[in-house]
Amino acid sequence: MMFTPKNKYHAKKVTICGIDFDSKKEGMRYLLLKDMERTGEISGLRLQVPYELLPAIYRDEVVHLKTKDKVERRLVQRAVHYVADFVYTDKEGKQHVEDTKGLRLPDYILKKKMMLALLGIEITEI
């Protein structure tokens, strides 16, 4: 008997054109955007584009060795990132950031607000 891991939100992974997508909805959106790019409605289609919302926080700590003191940089907090499903440019030159959502989790809602407040980028939900 073979065990296949289930997605806790019941999304079904799908492979389209050799690319793995987290859901059928995301895969179908990719096909639509790819067609729009082919017809010239959009350009520069990119997938899984990372944005850094908050940088990592480091602290310098003094380490006492036998003969000298050494300053080491230690990670205090990891950086906060958001990864957009799709980013593309329309005919007018405006950049669009899209996320294919089935369920809006609190983590995503916060990152969406941070994208707008810190980077001035509005996320379109599909």
Side-chain angles (χ1 to χ4, degrees), residues 25-124:
K25 185 176 183 179
E26 187 178 341
M28 293 298 109
R29 182 65 182 164
Y30 170 74
L31 289 176
L32 179 65
L33 290 173
K34 201 67 179 158
D35 191 48
M36 290 170 68
E37 186 177 44
R38 186 183 53 76
T39 60
E41 294 177 57
I42 64 169
S43 61
L45 178 61
R46 296 181 292 153
L47 285 66
Q48 301 300 309
V49 180
Y51 291 90
E52 184 176 74
L53 300 173
L54 295 172
I57 299 171
Y58 295 91
R59 180 179 299 139
D60 291 337
E61 293 183 1
V62 178
V63 178
H64 302 288
L65 302 173
K66 270 186 174 179
T67 56
K68 63 179 179 175
D69 290 342
K70 180 180 173 184
V71 177
E72 285 187 357
R73 197 163 195 200
R74 303 219 184 224
L75 180 66
V76 177
Q77 292 285 324
R78 293 184 300 174
V80 176
H81 291 94
Y82 166 72
V83 180
D85 289 338
F86 305 106
V87 176
Y88 58 88
T89 307
D90 66 14
K91 284 182 184 178
E92 289 79 38
K94 184 180 177 209
Q95 182 174 299
H96 295 267
V97 176
E98 285 189 3
D99 202 303
T100 310
K101 281 285 161 221
L103 182 62
R104 297 177 75 228
L105 299 173
D107 189 42
Y108 165 74
I109 293 168
L110 180 61
K111 287 181 180 184
K112 180 179 178 175
K113 289 178 183 179
M114 291 171 72
M115 283 282 286
L116 186 57
L118 301 175
L119 303 178
I121 299 171
E122 193 164 348
I123 300 170
T124 304

